[in-house]
Amino acid sequence: MVPTYNQMGDWLEEIARKFPEAFFEDLDGGIQLEERALPDPDFPPDEMYIMGEYVHDNLGRYILLYYGSFAALMSDEDEEAWREEIFATVAHEFTHHLEETAGLHALDDKDLEFLRQALEEYGGESPSDLDE
């Protein structure tokens, strides 16, 4: 099943309320849902999508989730699986936010290692930004 963009937005709002208020401190842009998919350019088409990301830019700090990425990867899943993945993605991005505000980077390192291993499985080379 693929819920509508609005349905996923409703689920996201419900799920976000489950996280402690302290997690939202300094997250001035909150959690946003974008309609588009965000394929990972380092992988073959339709193989890897970015489900969400923590952003700290000139607009502030915020979490983005990509409805289209969820739809591309989870079209055969039921509502429970969608809700679990939304929760896991929000929790992951909150971890990035909390680590950044604390000056830590353990999850960034873990994500980098995951990407390196995934690229090896696809026979690709490490993208230049993974080598930094």
Side-chain angles (χ1 to χ4, degrees):
M1 78 165 272
V2 176
T4 65
Y5 171 81
N6 288 334
Q7 181 64 57
M8 183 174 168
D10 291 343
W11 294 343
L12 177 57
E13 286 181 25
E14 290 173 27
I15 290 165
R17 285 193 293 267
K18 295 179 180 182
F19 289 89
E21 280 292 316
F23 283 31
F24 289 88
E25 189 173 323
D26 296 325
L27 193 69
D28 27 35
I31 302 172
Q32 302 172 24
L33 180 62
E34 288 210 5
E35 196 161 356
R36 69 185 173 108
L38 186 58
D40 190 316
D42 295 319
F43 290 85
D46 301 323
E47 290 294 324
M48 183 77 75
Y49 286 85
I50 297 168
M51 307 296 269
E53 60 186 335
Y54 169 67
V55 180
H56 183 182
D57 62 15
N58 60 344
L59 297 176
R61 293 179 170 135
Y62 51 98
I63 291 171
L64 290 177
L65 266 62
Y66 296 97
Y67 168 78
S69 294
F70 280 80
L73 294 176
M74 300 190 63
S75 62
D76 294 334
E77 302 294 338
D78 63 11
E79 179 179 335
E80 182 179 345
W82 274 75
R83 287 176 174 270
E84 288 173 1
E85 188 62 31
I86 293 166
F87 181 89
T89 302
V90 171
H92 182 95
E93 301 311 331
F94 264 131
T95 303
H96 281 297
H97 169 61
L98 296 170
E99 284 190 352
E100 186 206 53
T101 57
L104 304 171
H105 55 82
L107 186 56
D108 289 336
D109 294 344
K110 184 177 178 182
D111 285 351
L112 182 62
E113 184 56 30
F114 168 80
L115 288 173
R116 284 185 199 276
Q117 289 176 2
L119 283 167
E120 283 179 19
E121 288 179 25
Y122 282 95
E125 295 180 21
S126 293
S128 59
D129 59 343
L130 292 181
D131 294 327
E132 294 176 359

